[in-house]
Amino acid sequence: MSTLRNGEEFTLRELFSHDNKIVIPDLQRDYCWGDSAFIEQEKSQKELVSGFVGDYLLSSYKEKSANSKDLMLGLVYGYEEPLNCYNICDGQQRITTLFLLLGMVNRYSGGEFSDFVISTNEMQDDYEPHLLYSIRESTLYFLSDLSLHFFIDNTLSKVSFIKESDWYFGEYERDASVQSMLAALETIEKLLNSEKELDYKSFGHFLLQNLKMIYYDMENRARGEETYIVINTTGEPLSSTENIKPILLGSIKENNTYNEQWEEREDWFWQNRGKDLCADDGMKQFFVWFWQSRLLQEFSYKDDKPYPIDPKKEFLNLDRNKYSMILDEVNEYFLSLKYLVESLDNDERIREQLSFIQPPKKSGICSFSWLREQDNNIVLPLLAFIQKYPESKLLYAFIRRIRRNWYDLKRERHMRSEEGQAAYNYYFVDWRYLLQIIKLSESDESILYYNTELNSEHIRPIANVRLNQWFNEDEINKVTLCANSVEKQQKLWEWEDNKDIMGDLSIIWKVINQNVNWTDAEKVYKNYNILLNCFCDEEYVRKENNPTLTNLANYYRLFRVLRGYYAPGHIDYTKNMNGAWFSWREEYPMYFHYMLDPALVRVLSASDIEEMLLRIKNEVRKSVLKSGIVENYVPCINDENFKSILYLKLWLTSKVLWAEKYDLLLSYYDGAGIAAWDDCQRNKVDANLPFSVANSHCGYAICRPANRIAYVANDKKDKEEFFDTMISVNKTIDEVNSEINDLFLNFLSSEAV
């Protein structure tokens, strides 16, 4: 049964009781009552916490009668989703301030109200407080740490020491809600310290029992968002596009056709509104796209400051005699949008290509809602292409090029820097140029091969936006490779869909070096795909049951670390340690320049997996010799020269050499990152013995609830393929060190490939 009931009063005791979670959803703004703001009624800068807590709550408590007079704090709008999780649509600032006040009172009363900060069940689990902020992750973490380490543990003597504590991370400095909460806590601290004779326990019970609010149930998120907008909107009304309709249609005498077209659009946007409450938001986005495409501008400008394009203003700037013409253009543009959405709904190939860019966050999301989330570099060229060539059979090929172009931008592929200038992308073509390419092209096919360098004089320059070659070297090589073969084209498209490649085959051209031929290109891609599977797919490696492939999987992952693809370093929300990612693969990796790494090129030029392994080992050998972790071919890290990043490289290399000797496939689990303490002593197994690989231990970084490194459970400590186990538990430290030294010596002194 729900604790809060629609239209009924509730107390803080009911709100923060049992396992209730009070959620500030992502539609809300930051907490701001702790900040100084301009108060219109008082015509002055002031924060709101002192007035709310001091002038109202404390004063009311001290003046209350023996009958414990209740205080009514107004309405709270929210919805329950899931059970016992109340999402607040209005009342965020009051409830947050009350939670902070209750936490401070808990400190002053010796933990009397801890259960109302974090429930008893949560104290045995994840330490989640009753109040959760879903606006951003750092706020969520901060409230959890604040509740546990400050409100309940009470180890810090005052608020100002929070920023010096181990659980306070640098990310919190950039979080507006966190900083406002800290300011509010300092205000509350001053107020409570000034009340020398205040009975804190009694005041706490007053807060829990005598503060009353009325709960208004919004039933679901959609209605909650509507309420939030109505309460907080101070600008344009919700139905802004309705103001455009009479302006345009009212100026045209024979407007029956345009009326019908407008009604058709309204009906379509209503049917495709997704989570919107009305059709207006979708239509407004449509008009923004229309004017952005027409003006070749993303924003409008005033005094060199950018502002969102206002469709109503742009329509009003037109000569009334041109309203019929503009409405014809609008309808043509709408038909293009409609066709694009239908293509997304009905063509699996098109839907797959666009889902590579950004998969729908939830299954069943309508295609138009998905399009509204996308970058202009995706949507506007597609609409322009369909508008000019509505029945083109090359739409799928064009979408593939748009996807590839977008990845050039997002993955920062093909970056180049010139002396005295910042690096720039020399492949990506901005949407404002693509729209001009489409307009200037004589056919749909010529768009794909348009030479922007030869035709630059026909293209209008866009301020501060570089015009790059659309039909670039990569695309030229693809045309040469396929030689009009449909079968090869289909195969090449499969290569392009590789998650690491996403349209760009530059690594292949770099390996085969000008000699563009199908046999060599196919061999290079096969090698690349084997490496990718070795890195990402543990099941594939185990299923093959091939010792060469197992070693390739181990050595390739080590190769990536030592070559700096994911170099050891700081792990977010941790302190006094460094971490390394051995098997981590982001869905949208930002390491494209490593795909053109000369070392990787040398590896991919191998004729088979046996030679690939030899080449990988050779590259690892060179990296180890340069790394500073060995001297005379054996490990040289000791107590005096210890550094956690060097130790991580030594640890991972030792694991790989050991795994090769004992036929082990190293773990693919990365957890929060394989980590080592900056303090040499904390990494030792036996603190009384000198540091060595055998007398040391890496684990996994854990940032919450405490900053620590976790090690394997006792029942798995003999699993030498795990990264959080010792090199070996079956041998003495001296035996392991001797064996490790021999492994390094043999490996590093081997003949290079």
Side-chain angles (χ1 to χ4, degrees), residues 291-305:
W291 280 106
Q292 286 175 329
S293 299
R294 205 170 191 272
L295 300 171
L296 294 182
Q297 292 178 202
E298 189 160 9
F299 302 99
S300 58
Y301 291 87
K302 184 177 181 181
D303 300 327
D304 293 329
K305 292 183 178 180

Side-chain angles (χ1 to χ4, degrees), residues 263-281:
E263 289 176 7
E264 179 190 355
R265 287 193 292 271
E266 286 181 331
D267 182 61
W268 189 89
F269 284 113
W270 168 255
Q271 293 178 25
N272 290 273
R273 69 190 185 281
K275 292 185 177 181
D276 292 339
L277 299 169
C278 59
D280 190 73
D281 289 343

Side-chain angles (χ1 to χ4, degrees), residues 366-478:
C366 75
S367 298
F368 178 58
S369 297
W370 181 90
L371 284 173
R372 285 169 60 186
E373 297 176 355
Q374 303 314 308
D375 192 288
N376 280 357
N377 289 292
I378 304 298
V379 180
L380 300 189
L382 289 178
L383 290 174
F385 183 91
I386 293 170
Q387 187 176 6
K388 187 167 183 181
Y389 302 107
E391 301 297 328
S392 174
K393 295 181 179 180
L394 295 177
L395 176 60
Y396 177 69
F398 182 70
I399 285 176
R400 296 186 67 89
R401 286 289 294 279
I402 291 298
R403 179 198 68 174
R404 174 255 156 80
N405 190 59
W406 184 83
Y407 271 99
D408 285 341
L409 172 67
K410 292 302 177 183
R411 290 186 176 175
E412 300 178 359
R413 305 196 295 203
H414 300 286
M415 300 299 288
R416 179 182 290 166
S417 58
E418 295 177 355
E419 189 173 348
Q421 295 184 354
Y424 63 89
N425 190 312
Y426 63 95
Y427 261 30
F428 167 72
V429 179
D430 184 87
W431 66 268
R432 286 158 286 198
Y433 290 127
L434 287 177
L435 264 57
Q436 295 184 68
I437 291 171
I438 293 167
K439 186 176 181 180
L440 292 168
S441 295
E442 297 178 355
S443 68
D444 51 354
E445 185 177 26
S446 66
I447 292 174
L448 300 174
Y449 309 126
Y450 195 90
N451 191 315
T452 46
E453 289 182 357
L454 291 178
N455 294 286
S456 60
E457 62 185 52
H458 303 297
I459 298 176
R460 186 185 110 190
I462 306 298
N464 302 316
V465 180
R466 179 184 173 85
L467 173 60
N468 291 320
Q469 176 61 287
W470 171 243
F471 188 45
N472 52 48
E473 183 182 6
D474 183 42
E475 296 302 326
I476 292 171
N477 285 338
K478 290 173 186 174

Side-chain angles (χ1 to χ4, degrees), residues 117-130:
V117 176
I118 300 177
S119 71
T120 303
N121 288 339
E122 283 294 339
M123 287 298 290
Q124 307 301 320
D125 191 8
D126 291 332
Y127 306 99
E128 276 193 346
H130 285 290

Side-chain angles (χ1 to χ4, degrees), residues 672-736:
I674 306 158
W677 293 108
D678 293 333
D679 180 357
C680 176
Q681 199 70 9
R682 298 182 73 177
N683 298 291
K684 292 182 179 180
V685 176
D686 187 335
N688 298 315
L689 295 177
F691 172 85
S692 66
V693 176
N695 185 35
S696 64
H697 206 187
C698 281
Y700 289 103
I702 306 295
C703 62
R704 295 180 67 240
N707 183 73
R708 63 191 177 91
I709 294 178
Y711 302 103
V712 72
N714 284 333
D715 61 337
K716 296 179 180 178
K717 63 182 181 180
D718 61 337
K719 300 290 185 181
E720 295 175 355
E721 67 271 24
F722 292 177
F723 287 103
D724 50 349
T725 60
M726 296 171 58
I727 297 295
S728 175
V729 295
N730 300 314
K731 301 180 181 182
T732 67
I733 288 177
D734 287 340
E735 287 174 337
V736 172

